[in-house]
Amino acid sequence: MIRPVILAFVPLVLLVAPCFAQATGHVQVKFVKAALIVGGGGGSGTLIYRGRHYRFIASGFSVGVTAGTSVNWLEGTASGIKDVNDFAGSYSLVGGGGAWAGGVGGVSLRNEHGVVLMLKGPKAGLEFAANLGGLTISLR
């Protein structure tokens, strides 16, 4: 006797583990800068990633049309993070802005791990900048 075969199709569901999925983080940083053609600065901030807070320090340089001193309070996003350690590294940037007792600034940065920072915010001081530079971020 021949028995009928019943075939059942079960949909295949693939789950991506959270450690491999990319998530966007939120960045807040205070950066103090002084420059006359060549400038330097440093600061500290917080990365909020997957509900956790990670403190970091930042140091950087700039070369270009730059003059003055300023304090920047920048805030924005960090995208392309697969692991929180991807956030640390050397970033290259192109940015501009100005301040005369107060103003605005913004930068777009990318590191060797593919993390992209989009930051903007107010600045205080006396500065004009249209420059190229670099920034190094280290997690604490």
Side-chain angles (χ1 to χ4, degrees):
M1 174 168 158
I2 299 176
R3 295 185 180 178
V5 176
I6 299 175
L7 298 174
F9 293 98
V10 178
L12 180 62
V13 177
L14 298 174
L15 299 175
V16 177
C19 62
F20 296 113
Q22 291 184 358
T24 300
H26 183 79
V27 178
Q28 298 172 321
V29 63
K30 177 182 176 185
F31 198 79
V32 179
K33 179 177 160 185
L36 181 59
I37 300 175
V38 176
S44 62
T46 303
L47 166 68
I48 302 169
Y49 179 69
R50 296 188 188 263
R52 296 191 58 192
H53 291 70
Y54 299 92
R55 295 179 50 98
F56 65 88
I57 56 173
S59 60
F61 72 92
S62 63
V63 177
V65 180
T66 305
T69 61
S70 66
V71 177
N72 300 266
W73 293 272
L74 301 172
E75 189 169 359
T77 60
S79 60
I81 301 174
K82 296 179 192 128
D83 179 82
V84 71
N85 292 317
D86 291 344
F87 181 71
S90 298
Y91 288 82
S92 56
L93 64 102
V94 176
W100 176 265
V104 296
V107 292
S108 175
L109 308 99
R110 183 182 180 101
N111 76 3
E112 69 272 17
H113 304 293
V115 175
V116 175
L117 302 180
M118 299 293 290
L119 305 173
K120 63 182 176 179
K123 62 170 61 180
L126 177 59
E127 178 194 17
F128 171 77
N131 50 45
L132 299 172
L135 181 72
T136 301
I137 291 179
S138 302
L139 292 170
R140 287 187 176 177

